[in-house]
Amino acid sequence: MKPASLIFLPLVVSLSALARDKAPAGLYESYTGFAIAAEPVLPAKETHPSLWFSAAEIPALKARLTADDFGRTRWSAIQKLANLSAPLPPAPVATGPGDKNEAIHKYYGALSMAARAHALVALLASDEATRAAHRARTIELLLRAYDGPIFQLDSRTQGSAVDEIYRGSWLQNYAAAYDCIQPSLDRATDEKIRARLALEAECVYENLYAWTPDSPHNHLSKPAWGLGSIALALPSHSHAKLWLGRAIEAANKNTRYFFSGDGIYREGSHYLMFSLTNFLPFLYHYRNVSGVDAFPAFQPVFEDMIEARNSHGWLPNIEDSYIRPTPTHLAAAAYRNAHTRLHSSAPLAELLAWSYATCDLAPFEKARADDGFNYTGASLDYPLEIEELLTHDASIRATAPDLTPNIILAGGQSYFRDSWTNRGAGQRYLLFHGVAVADNHNHDDQLSFLLEAEGQMMCSDSGYSRGTYTGEERTKWYNTAPAHNTLTFDGKPAVDSAPNATPPSLFRVDQPGLVGEEKEAFFGKDGKAAAWRRAIFWIAGDYYVVADRVNAKQSGKIAGYLHAGRGTLATDGGQRTWTYSADRYGSAAQLHTWIAAPGATLAEKKGELTYIKGDYAEFPYVGLDATGADAAWLTLLKPAPAGSAGSAFTATDRSTATFSALLVSAADHRSFMVAQGKPGTHVKLDDVETDAAFALVRRDLAGHVLTFAVLDGTSLSVAGKEIWRAEKVTNAARVLAP
Ligand code: MN
């Protein structure tokens, strides 16, 4: 048999050539990501079962079904999926090669998942009659694998019912189903089933690059991991080595470019989950079948899920993404012996178990109850409960990280948090985002930040979109700069200095009472029109100052955006207060903000925000507009518990025409913050004097300096005394007392 989809190949070769002209040479090989060994390794002898477990491991797997609640609920879900009383639907009929009928997608997803569920029950059910009935159903389903119109449909059609992003999961489902029941097959049946699975393997092998010719994004990697799994399920097939070789080659193209070396996925958290549903099974299959352990290459990916999660255990809705949980439990068993920098002694397995165990799944459970879809983005194709059961190991303890909770990644994300475990009063989490832009699912969010404090999501990214990828609300709002805590110059978003160049991290401090970083991004063609330096300092473990400096070659329109999540906004003079109700995203809380931006116009606007698919609404944000070549703006963010009116914390805008300044008065200290667009001018604010672009001085009520920070300066004096001096313009920060 020859895959009918081969007829699409000639057209696709030219598309591929076109795409190669578009991307700069070497773009996809020049980032910091990772790859696994290119040489495909197959076992000397084909053995079944072998993908998820060996025959010798079946008794232990059976014991897992009833060992704890986790096992019982997953086993129950699997039995529901393996429904013998449900009649098998007839194969659908397509209207043409571009058919987008979701019923066709659902057919292949449901039947391949059912095959997998029946196959497991055929192995694990306690009585022989049940096992035999499910074995018969599995065989029936495998003999129908890929019937219907799949080979007449063109996966390249946008929204195709047989899109390549689904085909990887179907292959992995059938691979697992076949692997379970293969030893019980007679030779003729075995050959028929193998022929059906090999037909699709051959089709994916031949069309993989044709389906996704432009960039090695998830549409390339997802079917590639599926192709790898089917090669490992049919390793004695004469093409298995070719399939596996191409699978690894294509998946490596994705992981080299879309992951940073420290595990940040540049398509965002949603596509990370969506990809995980394919790379996780492949990693287990490759290790179990061929003895090749590629989990170490992926270790930074799982570590970054722990690093990036907020206090609820959620990954950010950055890029085309909703918030996502950390399903790290699926990988824990693979890292039993892996040392991690996140803990001084516990293996990574325990931290992965902890991250899932402490993840608040309530918003995702609600979404599933509302629309039937779970958090994987692959509910129609990926049986999460099966893989949860297969990877579950109740003996792995849950251990929180003991590494310092403030992490600055070379890949460009920084996470400042008060603690790995605090979810109550005083909770603080800030994500500072400056990751080199990748060419798929990108949003114009350079140097943006997210703040979660007092258990509530505050400063926000507007998210993916309302609910679908298509639709003007996404391209006209959600992925634009104004939907993010960022700046624009002449209406254009910040860019990187070169392809794959991470925005420079110019300065860092991480000491008790003062944590911060300065990053740099650029505006204009090739980043030549203007430089933007943004520093974020977290002060006294409590509040934040965001210092923005823009220096352009020529005057232009400088705009800024401050988004603070799902709050109502009240303005009192220079103070803006966002008030949050207790909701599915966190506790009742408040965020007080002050903006010092002399010469800029501030306006309160409304913009749409989505954390979870479908749960969208408009919320207030602040826009800043100015015209000039140089600007220095200060934004103060002071989170507070609900009902904290009358607290001793206040701030005063002391800006002049030449510099921005804020004075903070707290219960036990005072902070001075000054900034100027063109450093070098002598600035005097009460008894604080400096020539720096930015200076921060925090003093106790008796006037003793507790902390200070200077960016791009040579001197800082307080109360007539020079407390810091440098020969050349530089940066400094000191904590004299916390
Ligand atoms: Mn966004």
Side-chain angles (χ1 to χ4, degrees), residues 52-314:
W52 286 101
F53 48 82
S54 66
E57 288 165 323
I58 292 173
L61 185 54
K62 276 185 177 164
R64 212 180 290 168
L65 307 181
T66 52
D68 56 16
D69 263 355
F70 187 97
R72 278 188 291 273
T73 52
R74 271 57 181 188
W75 179 231
S76 159
I78 292 165
Q79 288 174 300
K80 225 169 129 185
L81 207 50
N83 183 3
L84 285 173
S85 60
L88 289 185
V93 176
T95 54
D99 201 323
K100 300 179 185 185
N101 185 355
E102 203 187 26
I104 299 173
H105 172 190
K106 285 182 172 167
Y107 174 80
Y108 291 112
L111 263 62
S112 68
M113 288 198 289
R116 221 181 141 177
H118 285 293
L120 264 186
V121 180
L123 275 189
L124 303 178
S126 46
D127 70 286
E128 172 52 32
T130 305
R131 288 200 299 272
H134 285 278
R135 189 181 306 118
R137 178 59 70 94
T138 310
I139 292 167
E140 192 182 355
L141 283 163
L142 282 165
L143 286 169
R144 282 184 54 177
Y146 304 108
D147 65 354
I150 185 166
F151 299 118
Q152 278 74 55
L153 293 172
D154 184 354
S155 290
R156 287 172 306 145
T157 304
Q158 170 99 32
S160 167
V162 297
D163 195 291
E164 60 277 356
I165 53 173
Y166 316 135
R167 295 177 87 140
S169 299
W170 304 341
L171 271 175
Q172 289 177 317
N173 289 335
Y174 284 126
Y178 173 72
D179 184 51
C180 284
I181 57 111
Q182 193 278 341
S184 72
L185 297 176
D186 63 69
R187 189 168 168 177
T189 308
D190 189 35
E191 282 178 2
K192 276 186 205 156
I193 292 171
R194 290 178 79 91
R196 301 193 78 88
L197 302 187
L199 181 65
E200 170 66 353
E202 199 66 21
C203 182
V204 173
Y205 169 76
E206 296 210 10
N207 291 286
L208 192 59
Y209 292 123
W211 284 333
T212 309
D214 47 352
S215 155
H217 53 74
N218 68 90
H219 285 239
L220 179 66
S221 57
K222 284 173 61 67
W225 284 309
L227 180 62
S229 288
I230 200 69
L232 294 163
L234 308 173
S236 61
H237 191 283
S238 60
H239 290 181
K241 197 161 191 175
L242 286 176
W243 299 338
L244 182 59
R246 182 162 293 174
I248 293 171
E249 177 189 76
N252 279 345
K253 287 177 193 286
N254 170 269
T255 57
R256 277 196 189 98
Y257 176 71
F258 279 101
F259 283 104
S260 70
D262 35 30
I264 302 163
Y265 192 60
R266 297 200 285 173
E267 289 186 299
S269 313
H270 173 85
Y271 289 94
L272 172 63
M273 293 301 106
F274 197 38
S275 299
L276 178 146
T277 62
N278 298 108
F279 69 67
L280 190 101
F282 171 74
L283 290 173
Y284 277 109
H285 299 162
Y286 203 18
R287 189 194 67 176
N288 294 343
V289 172
S290 300
V292 177
D293 187 358
F295 280 101
F298 280 74
Q299 180 164 335
V301 176
F302 293 103
E303 288 176 326
D304 188 50
M305 288 185 201
I306 295 173
E307 292 161 353
R309 72 199 289 275
N310 69 9
S311 82
H312 286 84
W314 303 334

Side-chain angles (χ1 to χ4, degrees), residues 388-536:
E388 287 187 316
L389 180 77
L390 293 172
T391 57
H392 182 53
D393 182 345
S395 73
I396 299 174
R397 287 190 310 176
T399 304
D402 69 358
L403 180 74
T404 166
N406 299 312
I407 293 175
I408 296 178
L409 292 183
Q413 278 187 357
S414 302
Y415 318 105
F416 303 150
R417 52 163 67 77
D418 64 306
S419 143
W420 291 101
T421 51
N422 180 26
R423 293 170 74 167
Q427 179 272 325
R428 296 288 184 273
Y429 163 93
L430 184 133
L431 187 161
F432 190 6
H433 176 79
V435 178
V437 167
D439 70 357
N440 203 47
H441 291 307
N442 181 63
H443 284 205
D444 290 327
D445 55 5
Q446 213 51 311
L447 306 200
S448 63
F449 57 89
L450 305 183
L451 172 65
E452 183 208 24
E454 301 297 329
Q456 179 57 270
M457 294 174 70
M458 296 184 175
C459 295
S460 51
D461 185 305
S462 295
Y464 191 159
S465 194
R466 291 179 183 176
T468 60
Y469 177 76
T470 51
E472 283 203 336
E473 65 273 10
R474 178 175 161 275
T475 50
K476 295 212 165 143
W477 171 250
Y478 280 97
N479 62 7
T480 69
H484 300 85
N485 286 309
T486 188
L487 302 191
T488 56
F489 186 76
D490 281 340
K492 298 284 194 323
V495 298
D496 302 331
S497 60
N500 286 334
T502 302
S505 172
L506 302 173
F507 181 69
R508 299 151 176 219
V509 57
D510 179 7
Q511 295 183 44
L514 189 64
V515 177
E517 186 191 15
E518 185 183 43
K519 291 179 183 287
E520 185 175 35
F522 308 91
F523 292 110
K525 192 177 179 326
D526 302 322
K528 298 245 175 2
W532 167 31
R533 291 180 175 187
R534 165 168 277 184
I536 301 181

